[in-house]
């Protein structure tokens, strides 16, 4: 598989006036724009991206096969800004070319034993990255426009084993030493609000999983899936705010995580299906540079959330078609907006006083409903969705507000060519 894209963007922030909440014109301060009090922008950027994937599988008899994978991505960016001035000179950091090349190569051995009752996959991966860009800092860009080049190579491996107890029940165990190569936007920024950080290190982790899957009930029409996990991460890559409008990705404290995932799905009647899931993840700092925050929760990551879904199918209700109605309920327990010592963390489902509420994202309940119609005579579908029906304030990380009650209408027609 291969793909090529060439994307050009223009970001213009060159207003003649500022405006208050009433829409009234205000004089400019320090000749700045909307996104900066001191600078205006007319930024043109060109992104050229190549992506490629290769996969080959060779069978070694009836019980073993070797798989080879290679993934590559290359991005080059260059641009200009006729209005931005850095350090009181004519230096334009956008005119310095930035490049990002990532190669991931893997080879794995898949095996089966005892008439497919045991399945095992072992693989090794090589990660290589080469980047170059002008270095950003809190004051803007490095003096003189120094191009920083970084070349990094690392390795990882994993093993996953599945034990089939019978045709409806199995156990799975896996271990992985993983490497997460930073994405191009994390290394190079986006040329707008995300600053570059060419000194970013890959994120490495030890991951352990234990899972159990089984059918339930006499009719075996209910399925239970349980997964326990542990994760130990070094050099976490996280976004760090810089000033009012910018962000930079940096390596933060190490972390360790323990938790579980449980999902239950099945069929209550011929027409009514359900699914239920719940997740708990205890993600805490380790080897923290701030002793007061050692073993504290990582903020802006929910640690308890669940979902419940119902779907009712009624064929040939009217209009010669099938009707599907569904309802989804989601719950996210309150979680931290900013870091705080472990002993000051609110308990799970615990009450929060008014002072604490300023540093916590409150518990959230969302309800979505929808209806889909499929015509039996023609390949035609109509879907109507109502999201956040209760119109409850809901938030993402950093307390970024998500949409309130909203509606969607989707029409689909499939053309079959013969």
């Amino acid at each position: 598989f291969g793909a090529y894209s060439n994307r050009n963007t223009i970001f213009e922030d060159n207003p003649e006036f500022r405006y208050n909440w009433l829409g009234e014109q205000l004089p400019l301060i320090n000749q700045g724009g909307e996104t900066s009090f001191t600078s205006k922008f007319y930024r043109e950027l060109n992104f050229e991206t190549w992506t490629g994937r290769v996969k080959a599988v060779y069978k070694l008899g009836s019980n073993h096969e070797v798989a080879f994978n290679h993934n590559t991505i290359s991005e080059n960016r260059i641009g200009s800004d006729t209005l931005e001035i850095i350090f009181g000179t004519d230096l334009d950091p956008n005119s310095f070319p930035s490049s990002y090349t990532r190669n991931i190569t893997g080879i794995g051995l898949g095996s089966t034993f005892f008439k497919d009752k045991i399945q095992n996959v072992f693989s090794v991966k090589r990660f290589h990255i080469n980047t170059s860009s002008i270095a950003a800092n809190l004051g803007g860009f490095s003096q003189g426009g120094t191009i920083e080049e970084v070349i990094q190579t690392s390795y990882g491996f994993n093993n996953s084993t599945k034990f089939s107890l019978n045709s409806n029940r199995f156990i799975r165990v896996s271990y992985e030493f993983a490497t997460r190569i930073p994405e191009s936007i994390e290394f190079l920024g986006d040329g707008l609000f995300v600053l570059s950080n060419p000194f970013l290190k890959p994120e490495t982790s030890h991951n352990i999983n234990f899972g159990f899957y089984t059918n339930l009930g006499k009719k075996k029409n209910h399925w239970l899936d349980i997964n326990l996990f542990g994760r130990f991460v070094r050099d976490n890559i996280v976004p760090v705010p810089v000033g009012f409008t910018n962000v930079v990705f940096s390596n933060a404290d190490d972390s360790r995580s323990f938790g579980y995932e449980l999902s239950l799905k099945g069929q209550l009647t011929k027409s009514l299906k359900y699914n239920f899931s719940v997740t708990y993840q205890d993600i805490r700092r380790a080897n923290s540079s701030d002793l007061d925050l050692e073993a504290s929760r990582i903020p802006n990551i929910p640690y308890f959330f669940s979902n419940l879904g119902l779907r009712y199918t009624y064929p040939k209700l009217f209009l010669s078609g099938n009707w599907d109605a569904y309802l989804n309920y989601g719950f996210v327990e309150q979680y931290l907006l900013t870091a705080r010592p472990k002993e000051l963390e609110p308990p799970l489902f615990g009450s929060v006083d008014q002072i604490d509420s300023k540093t916590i994202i409150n518990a959230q309940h969302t309800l979505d409903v929808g209806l889909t119609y499929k015509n039996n005579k023609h390949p035609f579908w109509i879907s109507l969705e109502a999201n956040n029906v209760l119109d409850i304030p809901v938030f993402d990380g950093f307390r970024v507000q998500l949409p309130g009650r909203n509606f969607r209408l989707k029409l689909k027609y499939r053309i079959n060519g013969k």
Side-chain angles (χ1 to χ4, degrees):
F1 170 83
Y4 169 78
S5 68
N6 192 298
R7 178 167 53 96
N8 293 281
T9 67
I10 295 177
F11 173 68
E12 183 177 5
D13 185 9
N14 183 26
E16 297 183 6
F17 304 96
R18 284 184 177 273
Y19 296 87
N20 61 20
W21 290 104
L22 300 178
E24 300 167 339
Q25 292 181 354
L26 301 176
L28 288 176
I29 302 175
N30 298 326
Q31 300 302 308
E34 296 274 359
T35 58
S36 172
F37 284 104
T38 58
S39 299
K40 294 184 178 182
F41 304 97
Y42 188 84
R43 187 168 298 167
E44 299 181 74
L45 296 172
N46 173 261
F47 299 82
E48 187 180 53
T49 305
W50 293 88
T51 302
R53 295 198 301 267
V54 176
K55 179 180 180 180
V57 178
Y58 185 80
K59 295 187 71 68
L60 300 172
S62 60
N63 296 327
H64 307 278
E65 66 178 26
V66 176
F68 171 84
N69 287 276
H70 182 78
N71 294 272
T72 182
I73 182 170
S74 176
E75 180 178 295
N76 297 284
R77 187 186 75 210
I78 193 167
S80 64
D81 194 321
T82 56
L83 296 179
E84 185 180 20
I85 298 176
I86 303 297
F87 301 123
T89 69
D90 294 329
L91 174 64
D92 180 3
N94 304 283
S95 64
F96 290 82
S98 298
S99 66
Y100 172 90
T101 302
R102 182 183 70 192
N103 287 282
I104 302 176
T105 305
I107 186 169
L109 174 64
S111 304
T112 61
F113 306 95
F114 304 109
K115 298 181 180 180
D116 294 341
K117 288 187 176 296
I118 297 179
Q119 300 177 27
N120 191 82
V121 177
F122 173 78
S123 63
V124 178
K125 294 182 180 180
R126 177 183 182 269
F127 306 88
H128 181 79
I129 190 166
N130 189 332
T131 71
S132 64
S133 66
I134 187 171
N137 55 42
L138 297 183
F141 294 85
S142 59
Q143 294 281 1
T146 304
I147 297 292
E148 301 289 347
E149 183 176 12
V150 176
I151 300 175
Q152 299 173 345
T153 302
S154 54
Y155 296 86
F157 65 92
N158 67 77
N159 192 86
S160 176
T161 305
K162 175 183 174 182
F163 303 90
S164 296
L165 304 177
N166 55 44
S167 59
N168 300 311
R169 188 173 295 119
F170 63 79
I171 295 172
R172 57 180 178 265
V173 181
S174 66
Y175 165 78
E176 178 183 29
F177 174 67
T179 297
R180 187 178 86 78
I181 298 295
E183 302 293 334
S184 62
I185 191 173
E186 296 170 329
F187 261 119
L188 308 180
D190 64 352
L192 298 175
F193 303 111
V194 181
L195 303 180
S196 64
N197 181 4
F199 307 108
L200 202 59
K201 294 185 290 185
E203 183 181 284
T204 59
S205 61
H206 297 274
N207 306 315
I208 302 172
N209 289 273
F210 176 83
F212 175 69
Y213 176 90
T214 184
N215 276 0
L216 300 173
K218 293 182 179 180
K219 296 183 179 180
K220 297 182 179 179
N221 56 355
H222 303 275
W223 296 267
L224 174 66
D225 194 353
I226 300 175
N227 186 56
L228 309 177
F229 61 86
R231 191 164 186 252
F232 307 86
V233 185
R234 296 196 64 179
D235 300 317
N236 270 293
I237 299 173
V238 298
V240 178
V242 179
F244 185 69
T245 59
N246 294 107
V247 68
V248 65
F249 286 88
S250 300
N251 293 110
D253 294 331
D254 301 340
S255 68
R256 60 108 178 119
S257 309
F258 295 100
Y260 63 83
E261 300 166 314
L262 182 148
S263 65
L264 181 65
K265 62 181 180 179
Q267 198 153 349
L268 297 174
T269 67
K270 183 178 180 180
S271 300
L272 182 61
K273 297 180 180 180
Y274 75 94
N275 63 82
F276 170 75
S277 65
V278 60
T279 300
Y280 174 76
Q281 51 185 13
D282 190 23
I283 308 175
R284 297 186 176 274
R285 283 181 170 83
N287 306 316
S288 176
S289 56
D290 188 341
L291 295 180
D292 291 337
L293 295 178
E294 179 67 22
S296 63
R297 289 192 190 277
I298 303 293
N300 287 293
I301 300 178
Y303 55 90
F304 183 91
F305 45 94
S306 63
N307 293 277
L308 173 64
L310 297 173
R311 179 175 290 274
Y312 188 83
T313 302
Y314 200 103
K316 301 179 181 179
L317 181 62
F318 58 90
L319 296 179
S320 181
N322 292 335
W323 295 80
D324 279 317
Y326 72 84
L327 178 149
N328 289 322
Y329 165 74
F331 169 74
V332 180
E333 168 62 340
Q334 63 188 7
Y335 59 102
L336 295 174
L337 173 66
T338 57
R340 60 169 58 189
K342 182 179 180 179
E343 57 272 14
L344 298 179
E345 294 172 356
L348 187 66
F349 307 117
S351 60
V352 178
D353 58 41
Q354 189 171 1
I355 297 177
D356 283 345
S357 65
K358 298 180 180 179
T359 60
I360 287 177
I361 298 173
N362 296 330
Q364 303 172 62
H365 303 263
T366 57
L367 183 65
D368 305 328
V369 297
L371 181 66
T372 299
Y373 163 74
K374 179 185 180 299
N375 189 285
N376 287 334
K377 297 181 179 179
H378 306 282
F380 180 62
W381 291 261
I382 301 176
S383 297
L384 177 64
E385 299 179 358
N387 301 307
N388 193 4
V389 175
L390 303 178
D391 201 25
I392 294 176
V394 290
F395 301 89
D396 203 346
F398 298 99
R399 197 176 276 166
V400 176
Q401 188 161 3
L402 299 175
R405 185 186 297 117
N406 60 93
F407 303 90
R408 296 179 186 175
L409 175 65
K410 181 179 179 181
L411 306 178
K412 177 184 174 182
Y413 186 86
R414 186 177 65 196
I415 300 175
N416 294 321
K418 295 184 179 180

XYZ file of all heavy atoms in Angstrom, residues 314-344:
264
model
N -37.035 -4.018 14.518
C -38.407 -4.391 14.175
C -38.519 -4.449 12.656
O -38.613 -3.420 11.987
C -39.418 -3.386 14.725
C -40.820 -3.953 14.834
C -41.326 -4.340 16.060
C -41.606 -4.125 13.707
C -42.596 -4.878 16.173
C -42.875 -4.663 13.791
C -43.365 -5.037 15.031
O -44.621 -5.581 15.124
N -38.498 -5.664 12.080
C -38.574 -5.765 10.623
C -39.983 -5.519 10.100
O -40.974 -5.865 10.747
C -38.130 -7.209 10.349
C -38.506 -7.956 11.595
C -38.343 -6.979 12.726
N -40.034 -4.870 8.953
C -41.289 -4.684 8.220
C -42.360 -4.002 9.077
O -43.527 -4.407 9.092
C -41.816 -6.028 7.709
C -40.838 -6.737 6.786
C -41.377 -8.081 6.324
C -40.383 -8.784 5.417
N -40.870 -10.108 4.964
N -41.951 -2.975 9.806
C -42.923 -2.220 10.602
C -43.884 -1.477 9.678
O -45.101 -1.595 9.790
C -42.204 -1.243 11.530
C -43.074 -0.392 12.435
C -43.860 -1.286 13.395
C -42.231 0.608 13.213
N -43.367 -0.704 8.768
C -44.125 -0.095 7.694
C -43.114 0.462 6.686
O -41.913 0.428 6.907
C -45.082 1.010 8.185
C -44.418 2.126 8.918
C -43.943 3.248 8.244
C -44.286 2.082 10.303
C -43.344 4.288 8.931
C -43.694 3.116 10.991
C -43.209 4.224 10.299
N -43.582 0.935 5.556
C -42.753 1.424 4.458
C -41.839 0.337 3.910
O -40.764 0.615 3.380
C -41.913 2.636 4.902
C -42.689 3.894 5.287
C -41.742 5.001 5.722
C -43.562 4.363 4.128
N -42.204 -0.934 4.077
C -41.457 -2.054 3.501
C -39.974 -1.973 3.855
O -39.101 -1.971 2.987
C -41.620 -2.075 1.972
O -40.924 -3.169 1.412
N -39.692 -1.930 5.131
C -38.293 -1.837 5.523
C -38.061 -2.317 6.934
O -38.998 -2.646 7.670
N -36.775 -2.377 7.315
C -36.376 -2.745 8.669
C -36.063 -1.492 9.478
O -35.434 -0.547 8.979
C -35.137 -3.647 8.634
C -35.446 -5.000 8.034
O -36.584 -5.455 8.051
N -34.425 -5.653 7.486
N -36.464 -1.514 10.741
C -36.270 -0.373 11.631
C -35.393 -0.798 12.801
O -35.601 -1.845 13.391
C -37.616 0.149 12.154
C -38.481 0.704 11.063
C -39.255 0.003 10.192
C -38.649 2.080 10.732
N -39.906 0.836 9.329
C -39.556 2.135 9.639
C -38.137 3.274 11.232
C -39.940 3.335 9.053
C -38.523 4.462 10.653
C -39.414 4.492 9.580
N -34.424 0.048 13.120
C -33.551 -0.160 14.278
C -33.608 1.076 15.156
O -33.327 2.185 14.691
C -32.099 -0.390 13.859
C -31.834 -1.812 13.430
O -32.323 -2.712 14.116
O -31.156 -2.017 12.413
N -33.965 0.885 16.418
C -33.939 1.979 17.388
C -32.896 1.642 18.454
O -32.795 0.496 18.894
C -35.309 2.162 18.038
N -32.118 2.625 18.838
C -31.084 2.351 19.829
C -31.022 3.460 20.874
O -31.446 4.606 20.645
C -29.719 2.165 19.166
C -29.096 3.436 18.629
C -28.367 4.297 19.456
C -29.228 3.781 17.290
C -27.800 5.450 18.963
C -28.668 4.930 16.785
C -27.949 5.770 17.635
O -27.401 6.931 17.150
N -30.467 3.095 22.004
C -30.254 4.024 23.121
C -28.894 3.721 23.732
O -28.581 2.560 24.011
C -31.365 3.878 24.160
C -31.285 4.731 25.423
C -32.697 5.056 25.925
C -30.524 4.010 26.549
N -28.078 4.752 23.928
C -26.767 4.600 24.559
C -26.664 5.550 25.754
O -26.942 6.753 25.622
C -25.634 4.913 23.578
C -25.474 3.850 22.519
O -25.624 2.665 22.804
N -25.183 4.260 21.301
N -26.268 4.996 26.884
C -26.040 5.801 28.087
C -24.560 5.703 28.453
O -23.981 4.604 28.488
C -26.897 5.303 29.246
C -26.451 5.837 30.593
C -26.692 7.156 30.951
C -25.757 5.021 31.487
C -26.268 7.651 32.178
C -25.335 5.504 32.709
C -25.588 6.815 33.047
O -25.156 7.307 34.248
N -23.942 6.846 28.702
C -22.534 6.872 29.084
C -22.327 7.596 30.400
O -22.999 8.601 30.686
N -21.404 7.089 31.198
C -21.087 7.712 32.496
C -19.573 7.822 32.629
O -18.831 6.879 32.320
C -21.632 6.881 33.645
C -21.110 7.319 34.997
C -21.571 8.485 35.580
C -20.131 6.583 35.657
C -21.083 8.911 36.814
C -19.641 6.987 36.888
C -20.123 8.162 37.465
N -19.104 8.996 33.065
C -17.691 9.229 33.366
C -17.612 9.803 34.766
O -18.194 10.858 35.051
C -17.033 10.205 32.364
C -15.563 10.417 32.727
C -17.166 9.692 30.940
N -16.916 9.118 35.655
C -16.749 9.595 37.019
C -15.874 10.847 37.027
O -15.053 11.060 36.123
C -16.129 8.480 37.879
C -15.611 8.883 39.256
C -16.688 9.422 40.205
O -17.748 9.833 39.731
O -16.423 9.459 41.408
N -16.063 11.692 38.019
C -15.264 12.902 38.148
C -13.773 12.560 38.145
O -13.354 11.528 38.656
C -15.622 13.635 39.447
C -15.319 12.825 40.698
C -15.840 13.477 41.964
O -16.539 14.477 41.911
N -15.503 12.913 43.106
N -12.971 13.426 37.532
C -11.528 13.194 37.514
C -10.798 14.531 37.586
O -11.391 15.599 37.417
C -11.108 12.377 36.291
C -11.434 12.973 34.940
C -10.455 13.605 34.180
C -12.716 12.879 34.399
C -10.727 14.123 32.930
C -13.005 13.391 33.145
C -12.007 14.010 32.408
O -12.290 14.524 31.178
N -9.511 14.470 37.822
C -8.735 15.654 38.135
C -8.448 16.500 36.905
O -8.085 15.984 35.848
C -7.398 15.261 38.777
C -7.482 14.566 40.139
C -6.098 14.108 40.578
C -8.084 15.497 41.191
N -8.602 17.814 37.060
C -8.204 18.769 36.033
C -6.736 19.144 36.191
O -6.008 19.303 35.209
C -9.084 20.018 36.122
C -8.703 21.199 35.233
C -8.880 20.845 33.771
C -9.526 22.433 35.593
N -6.285 19.283 37.421
C -4.888 19.612 37.707
C -4.331 18.613 38.714
O -5.078 17.993 39.470
C -4.763 21.035 38.275
O -5.579 21.141 39.460
C -5.247 22.072 37.264
N -3.029 18.474 38.711
C -2.379 17.504 39.594
C -2.499 17.930 41.052
O -2.486 19.120 41.369
C -0.912 17.357 39.208
N -2.591 16.929 41.919
C -2.599 17.190 43.355
C -2.021 15.972 44.070
O -2.047 14.855 43.553
C -4.012 17.482 43.854
C -5.002 16.355 43.636
C -6.306 16.593 44.393
N -6.934 17.831 44.007
C -7.983 18.346 44.635
N -8.510 17.704 45.671
N -8.525 19.461 44.243
N -1.451 16.174 45.275
C -0.876 15.044 46.015
C -1.889 13.934 46.260
O -3.103 14.184 46.332
C -0.419 15.688 47.333
C -0.199 17.133 46.986
C -1.239 17.457 45.959
N -1.391 12.728 46.387
C -2.250 11.559 46.525
C -3.195 11.680 47.707
O -4.379 11.323 47.618
C -1.395 10.301 46.664
C -2.187 9.012 46.772
C -1.267 7.804 46.873
C -2.089 6.519 46.992
N -1.211 5.326 47.075
N -2.705 12.207 48.832
C -3.541 12.271 50.030
C -4.661 13.303 49.909
O -5.592 13.324 50.729
C -2.681 12.598 51.259
C -1.883 13.891 51.176
C -0.520 13.684 50.545
O -0.294 12.620 49.934
O 0.326 14.594 50.698
N -4.615 14.167 48.896
C -5.654 15.179 48.718
C -6.611 14.837 47.584
O -7.479 15.640 47.232
C -5.012 16.544 48.437
C -4.113 17.109 49.545
C -3.532 18.449 49.139
C -4.895 17.239 50.856
